[in-house]
Amino acid sequence: MTLIRLFFEFLKIGLFSVGGGMATLPFLYDMSDKTGWFTYAQIADMLAVSESTPGPIGINMATYVGYTTAGIPGALAATIGTIIPGIALVLIITAILDKFRNNVYVEGAFYGLRPASVGLITAAGILVVEISLMNTALYQQTGSIIDLFQWKAIVLAALLLVLTRWVKKTKGLHPVYFIVFSAVVGIVFHFAGV
């Protein structure tokens, strides 16, 4: 039963997460609330693993969730559920797009999908920032504004921003270097307990 549910949950995600892998995050948060298969903090971990492994983020996250929920069969069910809508839509659109390329309604639909994608990705980004840089649970316990922020993570994020945007020697480095650097910093400075 879990495999079937995984398949259909990710089929919905594959069908409605317009805008790429980051647009799957709001759906994963909803899935977390409904199923209890994983926590919001685990979603942040999934995102980190998915970002640092080859392949599309959405499919990597589906595989990760499926595997942690039901092993290899779960990984297959979630991954297949995610990719079927995309494959079907591409085949359908390719077959009929030439006929309707200049149709005002088709152009309007594609234009309308742009802000939807931006909204979904922005919502996902805000949730990732909250999970990665803030500690709302500790803040609710203590009431101290200092406890609201995960200072180690903020310093690391600021350092990476500077290194990737303004330092000429590191600006052109491949992202893998920054991923490895961040992993090492997380281990050395014990980010798990942040």
Side-chain angles (χ1 to χ4, degrees):
M1 194 64 175
T2 301
L3 293 177
I4 293 170
R5 187 161 184 199
L6 269 169
F7 175 80
F8 282 109
E9 289 291 335
F10 280 96
L11 186 72
K12 286 191 300 189
I13 289 174
L15 190 58
F16 296 110
S17 60
V18 178
M22 294 300 285
T24 65
L25 287 175
F27 294 97
L28 290 174
Y29 288 115
D30 182 58
M31 188 186 305
S32 171
D33 293 338
K34 288 192 314 191
T35 65
W37 287 337
F38 45 85
T39 65
Y40 285 9
Q42 288 172 314
I43 293 173
D45 293 340
M46 290 178 218
L47 180 62
V49 169
S50 297
E51 284 276 4
S52 60
T53 54
I57 298 168
I59 294 171
N60 289 350
M61 290 182 72
T63 305
Y64 188 96
V65 170
Y67 183 77
T68 57
T69 305
I72 292 174
L76 290 171
T79 303
I80 291 169
T82 302
I83 64 173
I84 282 178
I87 291 171
L89 287 172
V90 166
L91 292 174
I92 291 168
I93 288 171
T94 308
I96 63 172
L97 188 59
D98 285 336
K99 295 177 186 174
F100 297 103
R101 183 173 302 268
N102 295 322
N103 184 307
V104 68
Y105 298 112
V106 172
E107 286 181 20
F110 281 125
Y111 191 77
L113 286 174
R114 291 178 192 163
S117 297
V118 170
L120 287 170
I121 292 169
T122 302
I126 290 168
L127 289 171
V128 168
V129 166
E130 183 180 337
I131 289 170
S132 301
L133 303 180
M134 301 176 78
N135 193 342
T136 53
L138 183 60
Y139 172 71
Q140 289 173 349
Q141 290 175 355
T142 65
S144 172
I145 194 76
I146 292 174
D147 291 334
L148 179 61
F149 300 101
Q150 297 190 43
W151 296 105
K152 292 179 193 176
I154 291 172
V155 168
L156 178 60
L159 177 63
L160 289 172
L161 179 66
V162 169
L163 290 175
T164 58
R165 295 288 177 222
W166 296 297
V167 176
K168 287 185 181 180
K169 287 186 178 183
T170 57
K171 188 176 179 180
L173 286 177
H174 195 277
V176 169
Y177 292 110
F178 297 107
I179 292 169
V180 171
F181 170 74
S182 299
V184 170
V185 168
I187 291 168
V188 170
F189 292 101
H190 308 288
F191 273 50
V194 175

